[in-house]
Amino acid sequence: MSKNLLEMQGISKAFPGVQALSGVQFDLNEGEVHALLGENGAGKSTLMKILTGIYQKDAGTIKYQGKEIEIPNTKAAQGLGISIIHQELNLAPHLTVAQNIFIGREPKNFLNLFLDEKELNNRAKKLFARLNVNLDPRELVGNLSVAKQQMVEISKALSFDSKVLIMDEPTAALTDTEIDALFVMIRKLRQDGVGIVYISHRMEELKKITDRVSIMRDGTYVGTINTKDATIDQIISMMVGRKIDNNQKPIISQQSREKVLEVKGLNRGKAIKDVSFELYKGEIVGFAGLMGAGRTEVARALFGADPIDSGEIHIKGQKVNINSPTDAVQNGIGYLSEDRKQFGLLVGMDVKTNVAIATMKDYLKPLGFMNSSKIHQQSEEMIKKLRIKTPSGNQLVKNLSGGNQQKVVIGKWLTRDSDILIFDEPTRGIDIGAKDEIYRLLNELAEQGKSIIMISSELPEVLRLSHRIVVMCEGRITGELKNDEKASQESIMALATKRIG
Ligand SMILES: Nc1ncnc2c1ncn2[C@@H]1O[C@H](COP(=O)(O)OP(=O)(O)OP(=O)(O)O)[C@@H](O)[C@H]1O
Ligand SMILES: [Mg+2]
């Protein structure tokens, strides 16, 4: 029997207008991976923020190695050996990788006055060697992809000698190979006796890596089961308290032959090489490929976020110049970016404003006054449609759970009347029930005549939604598949790994 490390009992926590947790329990043994599951807004992150001293519980007890303790702040948690990889990336973009990892514990030299940059980088190098990750300590974090930033977060958490390690959706932005590398790390930590709390919306990971799963729903504790005794269906029904249609067959509607977008010979450095494709009215084109294949780069170029070296973009037969996101929006292109904060959310503003912001001008009355009842009505509609968990449209976005923040970004682009919508990993971090809603919505949009480019690393999702699948590898389009019987995960993967020149 492994030793009990941690025990939380009767934990409650309220925020204004929200009972985030009521009487929740959770326990963790040495050397186990214990999954914490639940729909968006169930209270997972809040419970773990209490354990790491970010929030204070209103009621309940926490026992650590058999003794009842209080965790008044994050320093106290670190002192106890409890560390967390946050769901939201918390890195400082203007600092280097090494500076981010050792922030607040930097080595000093010469009378303790100057930061010893060399020593800092050396320590980081040693850490990366130990963890087997490929990162340059001197690189600015702001230059890294979301996946790499996640690796920095993970390395940072592992740089503390932790007894308890909490991972809040660590794989959300990672590729399969990166996930495999992470699992190797997790197994090693488990051997060393570290207790790991694992939060994820990816059901297929549970069997691979977890020993037990605990399920929460609406701020309450539902139950705990041994992973080997559980079925995924059982876990899902405990999570959502209702049945979900989890079948994988494509929901594909009719399409027209009206060409909406034509991209010709797009080039940008090494990231985009001679990319040409077409998009028709009412069509969903899935962009598949491995991380770094150039899909996000193509999306960013179409949205005017990065300049292109050469190539042409035609919209409804007209050649257009897109030099900025404003140009793109004016040409009817919407972009749900993979990095939600960049073109996504104003986290300091309320839900209502965020939903309305992409269409602000539509809400202006003559003389420039805001039509607040229209904004209210639209945002209420979105909250209902996407099942955004919030006390009202007036809640600040930063107070929503991670998955619900995502739904707000989606709501924002759905409200806007764009003809061409680019969704970059639309369901990342979204719970399994809400995923279904999003699939339905994308399908509805296509039926209404919108044209959609959907970038997704989840092949079942690509196969389920796309009319056509464009596959990229190393900046090039390596193939295009009609989504018929012949399209499969294997045929996509073959193209995704096909190197040309
Ligand atoms: N600082 C805060 N102020 C107000 N409400 C909050 C705050 N933090 C969390 N909440 C609310 O508490 C509830 C639980 O949120 P939490 O972030 O714990 O969910 P979660 O299970 O982690 O969801 P997800 O899967 O989307 O990350 C949500 O309704 C959320 O809006
Ligand atoms: Mg969360």
Side-chain angles (χ1 to χ4, degrees):
M1 246 337 259
S2 46
K3 261 185 31 205
N4 181 271
L5 195 55
L6 180 79
E7 205 175 326
M8 301 177 90
Q9 283 285 352
I11 307 286
S12 296
K13 174 77 186 171
F15 295 110
V18 187
Q19 186 67 42
L21 300 171
S22 7
V24 172
Q25 65 187 71
F26 184 79
D27 75 295
L28 185 67
N29 296 326
E30 278 180 1
E32 85 160 336
V33 182
H34 191 158
L36 184 57
L37 305 177
E39 289 188 282
N40 296 135
K44 305 176 297 289
S45 296
T46 303
L47 186 67
M48 291 302 121
K49 285 179 182 169
I50 287 172
L51 194 55
T52 44
I54 296 164
Y55 294 149
Q56 295 305 303
K57 57 185 161 52
D58 300 338
T61 55
I62 304 175
K63 272 193 191 164
Y64 186 59
Q65 297 177 317
K67 275 207 303 271
E68 189 168 335
I69 53 157
E70 293 294 327
I71 307 173
N73 50 46
T74 52
K75 262 248 140 48
Q78 277 168 17
L80 290 163
I82 303 176
S83 55
I84 183 165
I85 300 166
H86 281 289
Q87 180 173 18
E88 317 83 35
L89 297 167
N90 274 324
L91 303 169
H94 55 283
L95 296 183
T96 67
V97 167
Q99 286 165 351
N100 265 284
I101 289 179
F102 295 108
I103 202 161
R105 354 168 234 162
E106 299 91 344
K108 303 267 177 66
N109 62 7
F110 192 55
L111 302 177
N112 226 7
L113 281 180
F114 303 102
L115 184 73
D116 189 344
E117 199 71 41
K118 209 169 142 203
E119 171 60 18
L120 194 69
N121 291 334
N122 274 335
R123 277 195 206 177
K125 254 195 215 133
K126 274 191 206 138
L127 176 70
F128 298 151
R130 180 160 67 85
L131 302 174
N132 202 11
V133 300
N134 183 14
L135 286 168
D136 179 356
R138 288 159 305 180
E139 181 76 50
L140 286 185
V141 160
N143 295 339
L144 298 178
S145 66
V146 177
K148 283 260 160 80
Q149 290 189 31
Q150 192 112 342
M151 292 314 283
V152 177
E153 281 272 6
I154 292 168
S155 308
K156 180 175 176 179
L158 295 176
S159 71
F160 298 92
D161 269 327
S162 318
K163 296 195 180 70
V164 173
L165 179 62
I166 301 155
M167 303 187 156
D168 198 346
E169 298 194 34
T171 58
L174 303 186
T175 56
D176 286 349
T177 38
E178 287 163 331
I179 292 172
D180 287 343
L182 178 69
F183 284 0
V184 171
M185 272 185 229
I186 291 178
R187 289 195 187 100
K188 188 168 168 297
L189 290 165
R190 175 160 64 181
Q191 262 172 20
D192 296 344
V194 177
I196 294 163
V197 184
Y198 193 84
I199 301 176
S200 175
H201 288 294
R202 298 188 168 196
M203 294 295 140
E204 72 279 3
E205 292 179 346
L206 300 177
K207 290 273 176 192
K208 277 196 208 157
I209 199 75
T210 70
D211 301 302
R212 285 192 296 164
V213 293
S214 281
I215 291 123
M216 296 178 63
R217 194 194 309 148
D218 275 337
T220 62
Y221 171 78
V222 179
T224 301
I225 31 184
N226 289 325
T227 313
K228 66 172 168 26
D229 304 331
T231 66
I232 298 291
D233 279 349
Q234 182 187 5
I235 294 172
I236 292 174
S237 73
M238 284 171 87
M239 266 173 61
V240 300
R242 64 193 148 81
K243 250 192 111 55
I244 298 225
D245 173 22
N246 198 20
N247 75 19
Q248 300 293 325
K249 77 178 181 304
I251 23 178
I252 294 175
S253 53
Q254 273 302 317
Q255 50 171 324
S256 75
R257 291 317 283 171
E258 190 182 327
K259 203 188 287 176
V260 175
L261 172 74
E262 184 167 7
V263 173
K264 292 185 191 172
L266 210 62
N267 278 291
R268 171 179 165 75
K270 286 191 181 126
I272 307 175
K273 294 176 197 155
D274 198 25
V275 161
S276 304
F277 66 93
E278 295 167 354
L279 180 68
Y280 292 86
K281 189 172 171 166
E283 187 184 41
I284 302 178
V285 170
F287 266 62
L290 302 177
M291 195 83 61
R295 298 167 299 162
T296 293
E297 280 71 15
V298 170
R300 289 178 56 94
L302 286 178
F303 195 59
D306 295 325
I308 53 174
D309 300 336
S310 61
E312 289 182 5
I313 300 169
H314 295 247
I315 292 179
K316 291 182 185 152
Q318 297 274 332
K319 182 168 179 293
V320 293
N321 285 317
I322 296 176
N323 297 315
S324 68
T326 312
D327 290 349
V329 171
Q330 265 159 12
N331 279 294
I333 301 179
Y335 177 38
L336 172 94
S337 72
E338 129 185 89
D339 175 0
R340 312 294 181 219
K341 284 188 189 137
Q342 198 176 359
F343 306 108
L345 284 174
L346 301 168
V347 291
M349 312 262 286
D350 60 21
V351 173
K352 208 165 75 229
T353 311
N354 269 282
V355 169
I357 202 111
T359 40
M360 234 13 141
K361 70 175 188 339
D362 298 349
Y363 298 110
L364 286 181
K365 290 183 187 167
L367 300 178
F369 291 108
M370 296 301 293
N371 185 345
S372 54
S373 73
K374 193 171 165 201
I375 292 181
H376 179 79
Q377 182 212 326
Q378 283 259 24
S379 73
E380 286 305 306
E381 212 179 291
M382 268 308 145
I383 290 169
K384 234 173 69 203
K385 224 176 182 171
L386 294 172
R387 299 198 304 125
I388 298 174
K389 194 169 178 235
T390 174
S392 78
N394 299 323
Q395 178 71 297
L396 299 184
V397 165
K398 67 170 183 234
N399 290 339
L400 298 188
S401 79
N404 283 297
Q405 292 192 5
Q406 286 229 57
K407 293 188 196 172
V408 174
V409 198
I410 295 178
K412 166 181 145 173
W413 288 114
L414 294 183
T415 314
R416 208 207 135 75
D417 217 14
S418 317
D419 292 327
I420 300 169
L421 286 160
I422 308 172
F423 290 96
D424 200 344
E425 305 287 358
T427 63
R428 178 183 288 167
I430 299 265
D431 71 55
I432 190 151
K435 255 186 189 172
D436 241 53
E437 310 281 328
I438 287 167
Y439 295 158
R440 224 190 335 267
L441 270 163
L442 292 187
N443 214 47
E444 248 175 61
L445 287 170
E447 268 169 6
Q448 286 161 18
K450 312 256 181 208
S451 306
I452 295 172
I453 293 173
M454 184 192 62
I455 300 172
S456 169
S457 298
E458 293 191 32
L459 294 180
E461 178 167 294
V462 171
L463 285 164
R464 177 155 175 198
L465 280 180
S466 321
H467 295 104
R468 249 183 328 131
I469 301 161
V470 168
V471 191
M472 290 187 70
C473 176
E474 295 181 345
R476 286 179 205 279
I477 292 180
T478 48
E480 203 185 290
L481 298 165
K482 238 173 83 191
N483 196 3
D484 55 19
E485 311 76 50
K486 277 189 275 206
S488 65
Q489 299 205 22
E490 290 72 32
S491 57
I492 295 174
M493 279 314 289
L495 290 169
T497 50
K498 183 167 144 189
R499 297 206 159 87
I500 304 175

